[in-house]
Amino acid sequence: MRRALLIAAVDPSVGGVLVFGDRGTGKSTAIRGLAALLPPMAAVAGCPYSCDPGRPADLCDRCREQATLRTERIPVPVVDLPLGATEDRVVGALDLERALTRGEKAFEPGLLARANRGFLYIDEVNLLDDHLVDLLLDVAASGVNTVEREGLSLRHPARFVLVGSGNPEEGELRPQLLDRFGLAVEVTTPTDLPTRIDVVRRRDAYERDPAGFCAAHAGADRAIRRTLTAARARLPGLTVPDATLEAAARLCLALGTDGLRGELTLMRTARALAAYEGAETVGRDHLARIAPSALRHRLRRNPLDESGSTARVVRAVADILAP
């Protein structure tokens, strides 16, 4: 889970992270903790959508109308989308206070506006209402949130990394939404004694003194932030050799994945992993380590194979990517 989240932080184009696993294993805590590790980003000052001043084509209408853009450094947003959220809360709606007190028709941005250029986190994503799933699929595909209601007509940028968590025993994810996640990881309850004791000890230390706990780990957080910054700078110059691409395609062919999204995700995640680790080239080792997370949710069910999808990917990796 940690590696998948850091890869998404290096290259948001991998398409998001799905975390499925047992209850009480710290999935939500880890995802929300990502906010403290992300390097701050440049944004247009005062823009409700945190527009990127370095990408004029993606500016909102309000920023386009400004002669000079004033910029500021802000934290990367990590926004929670609660299960019970209304459509108005998600996409935005008419600002009723301004309409009633001043008689003005104004737009009140929703969660998609706050999440632009950041992370949108949905706990228990497999229980999300179908109409919100449809809405998220539309916005994730276009990168634009279109609002048409109460006489308002507005479009604003809404590009975010989708992160979902849940317990598979409580329901499956719709295939269309599952396919949108670049990486899928499984979290299980630790079974070794030292790990269980260490987790309990850390949790207890945090609850007794949250400020002291954060201060004690501030140095490690800064080190990860510096590594992320260096990885993002290194990413554009890191090319994927033909031999690595061929190995990725052979792996997807052997597993029978639909379409070419499997190869694309393998290439992007392996490149981001190499950038994070400071490697000079993307090799088969990067593919082998990231393949289970990139491919396990893209396999068709095989009634003749009782092993899980993760075991099938691991078996194919051993056959095709072995040195």
Side-chain angles (χ1 to χ4, degrees):
M1 175 170 60
R2 179 180 183 274
R3 183 164 62 192
L5 291 173
L6 290 174
I7 284 174
V10 172
D11 185 2
S13 73
V14 300
V17 181
L18 176 66
V19 184
F20 261 5
D22 301 334
R23 288 185 292 273
T25 47
K27 301 187 295 293
S28 299
T29 303
I31 293 165
R32 290 174 180 135
L34 181 67
L37 304 177
L38 298 170
M41 63 182 187
V44 176
C47 176
Y49 316 114
S50 306
C51 280
D52 184 353
R55 297 175 66 92
D58 293 339
L59 294 177
C60 66
D61 292 342
R62 175 183 163 180
C63 291
R64 282 201 182 99
E65 291 170 358
Q66 296 184 37
T68 305
L69 294 178
R70 192 165 54 85
T71 64
E72 61 181 354
R73 302 285 290 178
I74 62 171
V76 174
V78 178
V79 177
D80 271 31
L81 193 160
L83 276 184
T86 63
E87 187 172 330
D88 283 355
R89 178 80 180 109
V90 176
V91 302
L94 179 69
D95 188 336
L96 288 178
E97 184 178 349
R98 286 179 63 179
L100 293 174
T101 58
R102 304 185 211 168
E104 297 174 357
K105 189 181 289 185
F107 177 64
E108 183 177 4
L111 297 176
L112 295 180
R114 286 178 51 202
N116 186 38
R117 303 180 61 205
F119 290 73
L120 184 66
Y121 171 50
I122 310 169
D123 190 15
E124 298 186 287
V125 64
N126 45 334
L127 304 181
L128 195 65
D129 287 341
D130 281 349
H131 75 283
L132 288 181
V133 171
D134 293 337
L135 190 155
L136 285 176
L137 288 172
D138 287 344
V139 175
S142 64
V144 175
N145 179 31
T146 303
V147 184
E148 298 279 356
R149 58 185 58 199
E150 287 111 11
L152 282 173
S153 179
L154 181 140
R155 289 161 55 90
H156 69 76
R159 297 188 183 279
F160 48 82
V161 177
L162 193 60
V163 181
S165 67
N167 184 343
E169 295 177 357
E170 296 171 347
E172 294 187 351
L173 212 59
R174 277 175 50 182
Q176 299 93 332
L177 183 58
L178 183 64
D179 193 46
R180 277 288 157 195
F181 287 99
L183 299 172
V185 296
E186 296 173 345
V187 179
T188 57
T189 306
T191 54
D192 63 297
L193 207 55
T195 300
R196 296 179 75 105
I197 293 172
D198 185 47
V199 172
V200 171
R201 184 176 287 127
R202 286 179 181 229
R203 178 58 188 255
D204 184 59
Y206 175 78
E207 289 180 350
R208 284 170 178 268
D209 181 11
F213 183 89
C214 292
H217 293 82
D221 289 351
R222 282 195 296 272
I224 294 176
R225 206 173 298 127
R226 285 195 295 270
T227 305
L228 282 174
T229 302
R232 288 176 179 177
R234 193 180 297 114
L235 190 67
L238 203 57
T239 57
V240 183
D242 289 347
T244 306
L245 279 179
E246 182 181 328
R250 286 182 182 278
L251 189 60
C252 291
L253 273 174
L255 289 167
T257 57
D258 292 330
L260 298 175
R261 199 166 282 167
E263 282 99 321
L264 284 170
T265 305
L266 270 177
M267 179 188 69
R268 289 169 179 161
T269 51
R271 185 169 53 199
L273 177 61
Y276 185 78
E277 294 180 345
E280 294 183 355
T281 186
V282 185
R284 296 162 73 95
D285 173 61
H286 298 113
L287 281 182
R289 282 187 285 153
I290 205 64
S293 301
L295 299 178
R296 65 160 55 95
H297 57 305
R298 304 181 190 282
L299 306 191
R300 292 181 180 177
R301 289 182 179 172
N302 184 352
L304 301 178
D305 190 343
E306 294 182 352
S307 58
S309 56
T310 303
R312 289 165 59 192
V313 176
V314 170
R315 204 162 54 213
V317 166
D319 291 342
I320 295 171
L321 299 183

